[in-house]
Amino acid sequence: MNTLTKAMNILLAASCLAGCSFNQAIHIQVSNPIDLDRNNEFIEVPMQSLQALALKANEQFVVLDVENRQVPYQVTHDSLLIFPVSVASKGNAEYIVTKGIPDSIATISCGKYYPERLDDIAWENDKAAYRAYGPALQANGERAFGYDVFTKSVSEPVVEYRYKMDIDTIMRKRIQQLKEEGKIQEADSIGNAISYHIDHGNGMDCYSVGATLGGGTAALMVDSCIIYPYCYKDYDILDNGPLRFTVKLTYPPLIVKNDSNVIETRIITLDKGSHLNHTEITYHNLSQDVPVVSGIVIHPENPDGYECCKEEQYIAYADSTNNTSQNNGVMYLGAVFTKSLQNTFVQWFQDTEKSLHPGALGHVLGISTYTPETTYTYYWGSGWSKGGIAGMDAWKQYLKEYACKVNHPLQVTIK
């Protein structure tokens, strides 16, 4: 799984002088400090470190495990070599970087901007898919603040196909024509066949966001009131597979206390194999400390399905989906926090608020303090009962272990 390699300790043992040829393999030792097995967890190694030791710029190379098998890797937009490692409880593992031709690998973590669907940014990996709403949606007056979540039951990318099917203009015109002719049943049949709100064998969109934080969005909070971010204003896709997707989103100005031009920037990263997105948030032009919450909406279908766990640094919710009669299964939402977490709690909507948040009861929240000119980091994401999550207990265990790994990162030594 993807852990917080941003916090990883990377040690350089300079066993080779800068500028030497790549005749000598680079050995990467990975140490696991905790009593949990770490399987297919991504590490990050600065390319500059490898080039300083032996790797020439633009030279082809492979990553090998101790069995001399190639390990898939990606070089990211910020010049990091990332690849999955497996390390036993409190154990060590070694990988080798050496000259060679890498095998081709399938793209798993990827995303796209969809102007044809109101400026959605949607992305996915082999576990789930997500979207953030854009300027065109905000311009039409729809109130949708948080992240949306798509379920998946297959490993290959499916989101682009779902969009293409759902917004097929020819089929949509045909549906409208049939309705005008009074052929409602036939129109509905075609509509169901192309809708991504129905599972056609790979998952679907069966999650309600509305005027809430949705599936794990962060927001500033003043006097116990959430300052909801609206749709993003600008975007930049930084990494687009095969193993990592990264997007930078910038949001319109917010008014926060006496600051009238607070600009939020989010960098969201999703790696292959991870149920959670790694997210870094910065609020520019903020002049004082402000509480920041990360939350998951609680829906009426399962008002008691939440879990708050300050000690183990996660929140969780079992969502019954927005159309339970369709046998949609259960969606599991969660967020994991670093040691900056101060508390977890549920905030229910008061009677005066309910009309502003139709179809929602409140949020399960984790709260920290945001200090100006710093970065707030947390993790959020989902699983599905039809996509490998056995139940709420299994989901909570996943989040608990993820939080432990986040706060005890793998240690990497380059030799």
XYZ file of all heavy atoms in Angstrom, residues 331-388:
462
model
N -20.321 0.908 0.545
C -19.094 1.657 0.314
C -18.471 2.008 1.664
O -19.183 2.421 2.585
C -19.382 2.945 -0.472
C -19.939 2.710 -1.854
S -20.375 4.255 -2.696
C -18.747 4.987 -2.897
N -17.166 1.841 1.745
C -16.460 2.148 2.988
C -15.560 3.364 2.743
O -14.702 3.349 1.863
C -15.643 0.946 3.449
C -16.522 -0.245 3.757
C -16.684 -1.268 2.838
C -17.216 -0.317 4.963
C -17.505 -2.357 3.109
C -18.042 -1.397 5.250
C -18.187 -2.409 4.318
O -19.015 -3.475 4.589
N -15.798 4.413 3.522
C -15.027 5.651 3.407
C -14.136 5.801 4.630
O -14.492 5.341 5.725
C -15.959 6.865 3.306
C -16.824 7.054 2.047
C -15.967 7.102 0.805
C -17.926 6.038 1.936
N -12.984 6.439 4.441
C -12.102 6.625 5.580
C -11.093 7.729 5.367
O -10.828 8.142 4.237
N -10.544 8.211 6.470
C -9.443 9.175 6.439
C -8.459 8.810 7.538
O -8.849 8.356 8.618
C -9.939 10.602 6.626
N -7.192 9.011 7.244
C -6.092 8.708 8.172
C -5.280 9.968 8.369
O -5.083 10.747 7.434
C -5.226 7.559 7.608
C -3.875 7.499 8.287
C -5.954 6.225 7.746
N -4.779 10.152 9.577
C -4.125 11.403 9.940
C -2.716 11.163 10.475
O -2.371 10.071 10.922
C -4.967 12.138 10.988
C -6.383 12.373 10.544
C -7.375 11.462 10.871
C -6.715 13.469 9.775
C -8.683 11.657 10.455
C -8.017 13.668 9.348
C -9.005 12.759 9.687
N -1.946 12.228 10.465
C -0.612 12.192 11.054
C -0.719 12.536 12.539
O -1.817 12.703 13.078
C 0.310 13.199 10.354
O -0.172 14.528 10.613
C 0.340 12.960 8.850
N 0.418 12.686 13.174
C 0.428 12.970 14.611
C -0.098 14.360 14.949
O -0.276 14.684 16.130
C 1.842 12.779 15.153
C 2.312 11.321 15.071
C 3.738 11.132 15.545
C 4.163 9.675 15.411
N 5.571 9.441 15.812
N -0.373 15.173 13.940
C -0.938 16.501 14.191
C -2.419 16.441 14.545
O -2.998 17.443 14.959
C -0.742 17.401 12.967
O -1.494 16.903 11.866
N -3.057 15.263 14.387
C -4.476 15.129 14.712
C -4.730 15.462 16.177
O -4.044 14.975 17.074
C -4.931 13.692 14.426
C -6.387 13.373 14.770
C -7.330 14.072 13.814
C -6.615 11.860 14.743
N -5.752 16.291 16.410
C -6.073 16.698 17.781
C -7.313 16.004 18.335
O -7.401 15.748 19.531
C -6.269 18.225 17.836
C -4.990 18.988 17.524
C -5.222 20.469 17.297
O -6.335 20.899 17.020
N -4.167 21.260 17.408
N -8.275 15.708 17.441
C -9.489 15.067 17.926
C -10.284 14.512 16.752
O -10.077 14.920 15.596
C -10.354 16.066 18.705
C -11.333 15.376 19.640
O -11.292 14.148 19.797
N -12.212 16.133 20.253
N -11.183 13.579 17.038
C -12.157 13.095 16.065
C -13.535 13.199 16.700
O -13.685 12.980 17.916
C -11.878 11.640 15.661
O -11.932 10.804 16.809
C -10.521 11.502 14.987
N -14.536 13.528 15.896
C -15.879 13.718 16.453
C -16.897 13.736 15.325
O -16.548 13.777 14.135
C -15.954 15.029 17.242
C -15.681 16.266 16.445
C -16.719 17.080 16.008
C -14.374 16.636 16.131
C -16.462 18.231 15.271
C -14.106 17.782 15.402
C -15.157 18.579 14.973
N -18.173 13.697 15.705
C -19.275 13.822 14.753
C -19.937 15.173 14.951
O -20.202 15.588 16.085
C -20.307 12.692 14.934
C -21.550 12.958 14.087
C -19.691 11.355 14.562
N -20.178 15.864 13.868
C -20.899 17.130 13.917
C -22.198 16.965 13.115
O -22.176 16.813 11.897
C -20.067 18.272 13.340
C -20.725 19.641 13.495
C -19.874 20.763 12.922
O -19.610 20.779 11.723
N -19.448 21.687 13.762
N -23.309 16.960 13.833
C -24.608 16.806 13.194
C -25.132 18.155 12.722
O -24.875 19.189 13.352
C -25.616 16.186 14.157
C -25.184 14.870 14.715
C -24.687 14.625 15.961
C -25.191 13.604 14.039
N -24.378 13.297 16.118
C -24.683 12.642 14.953
C -25.580 13.201 12.771
C -24.559 11.300 14.624
C -25.459 11.868 12.440
C -24.964 10.929 13.347
N -25.859 18.161 11.618
C -26.475 19.395 11.147
C -27.641 19.769 12.073
O -28.467 18.919 12.423
C -27.002 19.240 9.721
C -25.918 19.031 8.691
C -26.040 18.057 7.719
C -24.769 19.808 8.700
C -25.057 17.862 6.773
C -23.770 19.622 7.769
C -23.916 18.637 6.799
N -27.685 21.030 12.454
C -28.806 21.541 13.230
C -30.025 21.719 12.317
O -29.908 21.729 11.085
C -28.433 22.865 13.888
C -27.224 22.793 14.804
C -27.424 21.824 15.952
O -28.450 21.866 16.639
N -26.447 20.943 16.174
N -31.197 21.846 12.934
C -32.428 21.985 12.144
C -32.335 23.143 11.154
O -32.826 23.044 10.020
C -33.628 22.187 13.070
C -33.961 20.907 13.854
O -33.534 19.827 13.410
O -34.630 21.017 14.891
N -31.689 24.215 11.568
C -31.586 25.389 10.684
C -30.647 25.147 9.502
O -30.689 25.865 8.513
C -31.078 26.603 11.477
O -29.856 26.253 12.145
C -32.107 27.038 12.512
N -29.798 24.117 9.591
C -28.841 23.818 8.529
C -29.335 22.767 7.544
O -28.821 22.671 6.427
C -27.528 23.289 9.133
C -26.783 24.232 10.048
C -25.542 23.555 10.605
O -25.675 22.766 11.558
O -24.453 23.798 10.051
N -30.283 21.959 7.963
C -30.647 20.781 7.176
C -31.112 21.122 5.766
O -30.853 20.375 4.821
C -31.703 19.976 7.916
C -31.141 19.268 9.142
C -32.199 18.445 9.873
C -31.602 17.742 11.083
N -32.620 16.974 11.833
N -31.783 22.247 5.608
C -32.262 22.624 4.275
C -31.107 22.979 3.340
O -31.246 22.920 2.117
C -33.228 23.812 4.369
O -32.568 24.948 4.912
N -29.938 23.327 3.915
C -28.764 23.656 3.100
C -27.985 22.415 2.697
O -27.127 22.489 1.810
C -27.843 24.605 3.882
C -28.441 25.952 4.295
C -27.448 26.716 5.167
C -28.817 26.774 3.072
N -28.275 21.297 3.346
C -27.543 20.059 3.085
C -28.523 18.902 2.905
O -28.530 17.946 3.694
C -26.580 19.757 4.239
C -25.693 20.903 4.612
N -24.549 21.217 3.913
C -25.800 21.820 5.618
C -23.978 22.281 4.477
N -24.713 22.660 5.505
N -29.375 18.967 1.900
C -30.393 17.915 1.726
C -29.774 16.535 1.542
O -28.739 16.382 0.891
C -31.138 18.357 0.459
C -30.199 19.293 -0.243
C -29.412 19.970 0.816
N -30.399 15.543 2.165
C -29.920 14.174 2.027
C -28.725 13.836 2.888
O -28.096 12.794 2.690
N -28.412 14.696 3.850
C -27.249 14.462 4.710
C -27.603 14.792 6.151
O -28.418 15.686 6.425
C -26.065 15.284 4.248
N -26.963 14.087 7.089
C -27.217 14.299 8.508
C -26.107 15.064 9.210
O -26.332 15.698 10.232
C -27.399 12.948 9.211
C -28.550 12.069 8.719
C -28.559 10.752 9.498
C -29.879 12.785 8.855
N -24.901 14.980 8.672
C -23.752 15.631 9.294
C -22.468 15.019 8.771
O -22.452 14.418 7.694
N -21.390 15.171 9.539
C -20.086 14.645 9.132
C -19.397 13.953 10.303
O -19.555 14.360 11.454
C -19.151 15.773 8.670
C -19.558 16.465 7.422
N -20.191 17.690 7.429
C -19.418 16.110 6.117
C -20.413 18.065 6.185
N -19.967 17.126 5.375
N -18.610 12.928 9.998
C -17.619 12.433 10.933
C -16.316 13.121 10.563
O -15.933 13.158 9.391
C -17.501 10.894 10.895
C -17.238 10.355 9.509
C -16.419 10.422 11.865
N -15.636 13.721 11.571
C -14.539 14.645 11.303
C -13.285 14.303 12.104
O -13.357 13.793 13.220
C -14.953 16.077 11.663
C -16.136 16.686 10.904
C -16.609 17.958 11.600
C -15.742 16.989 9.465
N -12.140 14.622 11.523
C -10.873 14.685 12.231
C -10.404 16.125 12.196
O -10.486 16.783 11.155
N -9.932 16.640 13.318
C -9.575 18.061 13.395
C -8.114 18.238 13.798
O -7.589 17.519 14.651
C -10.509 18.822 14.366
C -10.269 20.328 14.291
C -10.372 18.306 15.791
C -11.348 21.148 14.977
N -7.457 19.191 13.145
C -6.085 19.592 13.455
C -6.053 21.117 13.432
O -7.072 21.775 13.251
C -5.108 19.011 12.428
O -5.191 17.602 12.375
N -4.864 21.685 13.605
C -4.700 23.133 13.492
C -3.804 23.442 12.312
O -2.715 22.853 12.186
C -4.088 23.720 14.783
O -5.001 23.513 15.865
C -3.832 25.214 14.625
N -4.275 24.346 11.456
C -3.443 24.762 10.328
C -2.709 26.045 10.701
O -3.319 27.044 11.102
C -4.274 25.008 9.069
C -3.407 25.415 7.904
C -2.721 24.454 7.167
C -3.213 26.761 7.581
C -1.882 24.813 6.129
C -2.373 27.129 6.542
C -1.712 26.156 5.819
O -0.879 26.517 4.800
N -1.402 26.018 10.550
C -0.554 27.181 10.809
C -0.137 27.787 9.477
O 0.256 27.049 8.560
C 0.699 26.766 11.600
O 0.281 26.200 12.851
C 1.605 27.960 11.864
N -0.243 29.113 9.329
C 0.112 29.752 8.050
C 1.490 29.337 7.545
O 2.423 29.132 8.332
C 0.050 31.247 8.375
C -0.953 31.334 9.478
C -0.752 30.098 10.298
N 1.576 29.192 6.218
C 2.814 28.855 5.506
C 3.304 27.441 5.798
O 4.497 27.150 5.664
C 3.917 29.878 5.830
C 3.530 31.324 5.581
C 2.998 31.563 4.168
O 3.545 30.990 3.209
O 2.008 32.311 4.036
N 2.398 26.578 6.215
C 2.744 25.167 6.390
C 1.891 24.330 5.434
O 1.060 24.858 4.689
C 2.505 24.701 7.836
O 1.106 24.796 8.136
C 3.306 25.536 8.811
N 2.099 23.028 5.463
C 1.320 22.108 4.637
C 0.591 21.125 5.535
O 1.204 20.514 6.421
C 2.235 21.337 3.663
O 2.869 22.271 2.785
C 1.426 20.350 2.831
N -0.699 21.002 5.318
C -1.515 20.038 6.053
C -1.602 18.762 5.221
O -2.004 18.785 4.058
C -2.915 20.610 6.296
C -3.915 19.609 6.831
C -3.725 18.979 8.054
C -5.068 19.298 6.109
C -4.639 18.057 8.547
C -6.000 18.392 6.592
C -5.785 17.780 7.807
O -6.695 16.873 8.292
N -1.193 17.639 5.822
C -1.161 16.361 5.120
C -2.094 15.359 5.794
O -2.088 15.223 7.019
C 0.267 15.785 5.105
O 1.145 16.693 4.439
C 0.304 14.452 4.375
N -2.880 14.693 4.984
C -3.723 13.610 5.492
C -4.025 12.668 4.332
O -3.593 12.880 3.199
C -5.016 14.154 6.115
C -6.057 14.614 5.107
C -7.247 13.898 4.927
C -5.874 15.761 4.339
C -8.201 14.310 4.008
C -6.827 16.182 3.426
C -7.988 15.456 3.258
O -8.930 15.865 2.345
N -4.802 11.605 4.602
C -5.075 10.556 3.622
C -6.558 10.220 3.660
O -7.150 10.134 4.749
C -4.230 9.311 3.947
C -2.783 9.672 4.108
C -2.311 10.196 5.308
C -1.900 9.574 3.049
C -1.003 10.593 5.452
C -0.580 9.969 3.187
C -0.141 10.481 4.383
O 1.160 10.887 4.523
N -7.152 10.047 2.508
C -8.589 9.759 2.457
C -8.865 8.830 1.277
O -8.109 8.795 0.309
C -9.386 11.059 2.286
C -9.045 11.791 1.014
C -8.002 12.669 0.823
C -9.701 11.670 -0.255
N -7.981 13.105 -0.484
C -9.014 12.501 -1.172
C -10.804 10.940 -0.707
C -9.395 12.636 -2.513
C -11.186 11.066 -2.039
C -10.483 11.919 -2.919
N -9.952 8.082 1.371
C -10.261 7.191 0.262
C -11.392 6.243 0.590
O -12.210 6.487 1.487
N -11.417 5.099 -0.130
C -12.592 4.237 -0.046
C -12.283 2.797 -0.412
O -11.250 2.477 -1.004
C -13.671 4.766 -0.998
O -13.250 4.599 -2.353
N -13.223 1.931 -0.056
C -13.257 0.547 -0.493
C -14.702 0.166 -0.737
O -15.620 0.953 -0.495
N -14.936 -1.052 -1.184
C -16.281 -1.479 -1.563
C -16.467 -2.946 -1.196
O -15.537 -3.751 -1.351
C -16.470 -1.266 -3.057
C -17.862 -1.434 -3.589
C -19.035 -1.165 -2.938
C -18.228 -1.877 -4.899
N -20.104 -1.423 -3.756
C -19.644 -1.854 -4.969
C -17.500 -2.282 -6.021
C -20.337 -2.233 -6.118
C -18.186 -2.651 -7.160
C -19.589 -2.622 -7.213
N -17.662 -3.273 -0.739
C -17.946 -4.656 -0.362
C -17.883 -5.601 -1.556
O -17.660 -6.801 -1.381
C -19.320 -4.756 0.299
O -20.349 -4.337 -0.586
N -18.047 -5.068 -2.767
C -17.954 -5.886 -3.983
C -16.590 -5.720 -4.651
O -16.388 -6.194 -5.768
C -19.060 -5.514 -4.966
C -20.467 -5.824 -4.458
C -21.516 -5.543 -5.526
C -22.904 -5.938 -5.048
N -23.919 -5.749 -6.106
N -15.683 -5.059 -3.948
C -14.358 -4.826 -4.498
C -13.242 -5.212 -3.555
O -12.155 -4.630 -3.607
N -13.511 -6.167 -2.654
C -12.432 -6.701 -1.840
C -12.463 -6.365 -0.366
O -11.635 -6.881 0.399
